[in-house]
């Protein structure tokens, strides 16, 4: 059941969460499937609903910096305390930090790890709900494991979604960022575990280190998959994937593979407006931005992938961008979404 974000809905949602139920929660990145993070039984329901491996830990959401102690060991080790201070002007916002876990967070949330991932979402509805709850919220993206993250309330409940698992979904409108939060591992050697709309450049600037010291490799898994699994268990190579084969088009326009004229139904995701000639080759074109603006591309990407995936196409062809700034997050998601297609 999708409900408008009224005070009454927020009150009901807080009550359902306190009773150990799950709800669909809007955030500025993607919709989350939320449970009381201190309630192991409720958290277990998240894994069952998503068919998520129990080895893939969840992100804990808190209302503000003063509530980080609800999830992290407090006070944290000095170096982590300093890093939190250095990053504090990025919150609330789409930045998740990974640090030593607080004692109230059950093993189910962290998959037994000694660290926990925490974020302070900026979406006004998420903030109202977090303020109404005396506990933090564990919330992964509200999609079946490995499917495309939801950026509209309806995505949480549609045919392939999680409608059966939630007491209610709060409608907070379309997500403004559209890609999941940036994940940063804190400590002696900070490490970018997942690129997002808070870019590596911005983090490096705050932490006063070089971008290269953040060590994010665009093509995962790395040469050392065991180490990778340990650091970022959720960074599965195949992720965010539509069921329809997804082909990433090379960057240079002249290299672009022409859509075959053999009658196959091909959909196209364009980062900017196509010429009528090029558009005519496709059954459906989804234009994410008029002028190739990457913020618009990120905001609209997942919804477009979902629409094309539901359109009975034989292939989806998608534009690409250079993996810098926000382009790093966009290319990370697209590379994973296309992994199954590439494997054949
Ligand atoms: O934008 C977001 O972060 C969204 C919204 C709902 O907040 N949430 C989200 O959650 O994307 P999820 O579960 O889809 O992705 C969480 C990622 C996974 O890759 C997981 O492995 C990683 O965070 N993670 C969680 N705890 C971790 C930990 N202790 N160490 C390393 N990675 C961790
Ligand atoms: Mg997810």
């Amino acid at each position: 059941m999708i409900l408008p974000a009224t005070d009454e809905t927020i009150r009901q949602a807080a009550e359902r969460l306190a009773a150990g139920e799950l709800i669909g929660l809007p955030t500025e990145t993607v919709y989350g499937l939320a449970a009381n993070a201190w309630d192991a039984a409720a958290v277990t329901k998240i894994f069952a609903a998503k068919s998520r491996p129990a080895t893939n830990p969840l992100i804990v959401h808190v209302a503000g910096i003063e509530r980080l102690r609800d999830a992290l060991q407090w006070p944290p080790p000095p170096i982590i305390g300093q890093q939190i201070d250095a990053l504090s002007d990025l919150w609330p916002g789409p930045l998740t930090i990974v640090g030593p876990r607080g004692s109230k967070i059950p093993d189910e949330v962290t998959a037994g790890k000694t660290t926990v991932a925490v974020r302070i979402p900026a979406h006004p509805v998420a903030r109202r709900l977090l303020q109404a709850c005396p506990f933090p919220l564990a919330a992964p993206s509200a999609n079946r494991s490995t499917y495309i993250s939801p950026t509209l309330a309806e995505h949480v409940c549609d045919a392939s979604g999680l409608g059966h698992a939630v007491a209610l979904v709060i409608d907070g409108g379309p997500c403004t960022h559209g890609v999941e939060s940036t994940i940063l591992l804190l400590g002696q050697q900070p490490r970018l575990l997942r690129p997002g709309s808070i870019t590596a450049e911005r983090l490096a600037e705050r932490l006063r280190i070089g971008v290269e010291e953040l060590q994010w490799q665009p093509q995962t898994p790395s040469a050392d998959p065991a180490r990778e699994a340990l650091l970022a268990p959720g960074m599965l190579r195949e992720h965010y994937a539509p069921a329809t084969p997804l082909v990433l088009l090379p960057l240079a326009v002249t290299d672009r593979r022409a859509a075959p004229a053999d009658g196959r139904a091909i959909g196209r995701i364009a980062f900017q407006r196509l010429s009528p000639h090029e558009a005519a080759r496709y059954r459906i074109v989804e234009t994410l931005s008029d002028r190739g603006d990457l913020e618009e591309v990120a905001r609209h990407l997942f919804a477009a992938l979902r629409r094309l995936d539901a359109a009975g196409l034989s292939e989806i062809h998608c534009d690409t961008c250079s993996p810098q700034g926000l382009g790093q997050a966009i290319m990370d998601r697209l590379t994973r979404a296309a992994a199954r297609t590439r494997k054949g």
Side-chain angles (χ1 to χ4, degrees):
M1 185 181 18
I2 299 175
L3 296 177
T6 59
D7 288 347
E8 172 53 21
T9 304
I10 300 281
R11 194 194 57 73
Q12 259 188 50
E15 211 172 271
R16 297 295 202 122
L17 288 162
E21 294 182 62
L22 309 184
I23 66 127
L25 170 72
T27 84
E28 71 279 21
T29 57
V30 300
Y31 275 73
L33 178 65
N36 173 355
W38 288 340
D39 179 346
V43 167
T44 303
K45 292 182 190 168
I46 292 180
F47 287 87
K50 282 181 59 96
S51 308
R52 182 178 176 110
T55 50
N56 187 4
L58 307 178
I59 295 178
V60 176
H61 298 63
V62 300
I65 293 184
E66 69 292 349
R67 302 270 300 263
L68 286 174
R69 64 183 64 225
D70 288 351
L72 290 172
Q73 174 196 313
W74 210 264
I79 181 158
I80 291 187
Q82 286 155 18
Q83 289 170 340
I84 290 174
D85 286 345
L87 297 167
S88 60
D89 69 321
L90 300 175
W91 286 308
L95 170 66
T96 296
I97 53 168
V98 175
R101 151 191 176 180
S103 56
K104 281 174 116 170
I105 297 293
D107 272 339
E108 284 75 3
V109 168
T110 66
K113 290 162 73 71
T114 56
T115 55
V116 64
V118 200
R119 92 175 188 92
I120 304 167
H123 194 295
V125 175
R127 291 174 63 70
R128 274 160 70 198
L129 181 62
L130 283 163
Q131 275 151 8
C133 293
F135 41 77
L137 296 178
S141 51
N143 51 279
R144 273 186 297 106
S145 193
T146 79
Y147 197 61
I148 305 158
S149 293
T151 52
L152 289 174
E154 298 83 72
H155 292 161
V156 181
C157 294
D158 69 11
S160 59
L162 301 172
H164 63 282
V166 290
L168 58 98
V169 179
I170 312 177
D171 192 349
C175 300
T176 50
H177 286 270
V179 289
E180 301 82 351
S181 60
T182 306
I183 305 182
L184 177 70
L185 175 67
L186 299 184
Q188 280 306 335
Q189 172 62 71
R191 197 185 135 136
L192 191 62
L193 300 182
R194 180 173 72 185
S197 49
I198 305 259
T199 61
E201 289 79 0
R202 279 177 82 187
L203 294 175
E205 192 188 305
R206 296 298 190 292
L207 296 170
R208 297 174 180 278
I209 59 172
V211 178
E212 60 291 346
E213 287 172 70
L214 280 178
Q215 288 176 12
W216 183 78
Q217 302 299 324
Q219 292 292 331
T220 52
S222 65
D224 188 351
R227 179 176 152 78
E228 178 134 26
L230 210 70
L231 282 166
M235 297 310 275
L236 309 173
R237 193 163 72 102
E238 273 178 45
H239 201 157
Y240 317 100
T244 315
L246 177 67
V247 175
L248 303 187
L249 300 172
L251 248 185
V253 179
T254 45
D255 287 353
R256 266 180 193 156
R257 182 198 291 216
D262 58 6
R264 281 189 308 147
I266 310 234
R268 167 74 180 267
I269 296 184
F271 286 8
Q272 53 194 322
R273 214 153 267 299
L274 299 183
S275 69
H277 174 71
E278 193 170 2
R281 295 162 163 177
Y282 297 96
R283 179 73 55 91
I284 311 175
V285 176
E286 290 277 354
T287 306
L288 304 187
S289 165
D290 276 340
R291 286 162 290 107
D293 175 281
L294 291 187
E295 282 182 27
E296 286 175 359
V297 168
R299 187 179 307 144
H300 299 136
L301 178 63
F302 288 161
L305 269 173
R306 282 173 172 260
R307 278 193 297 272
L308 291 187
D309 201 24
L313 299 165
S314 52
E315 267 180 17
I316 300 169
H317 290 188
C318 183
D319 279 354
T320 52
C321 57
S322 79
Q324 263 97 53
L326 180 55
Q328 194 173 48
I330 293 168
M331 286 312 297
D332 169 69
R333 305 310 189 272
L334 283 176
T335 308
R336 292 167 202 284
R340 191 183 307 154
T341 310
R342 277 200 310 277
K343 231 165 40 187

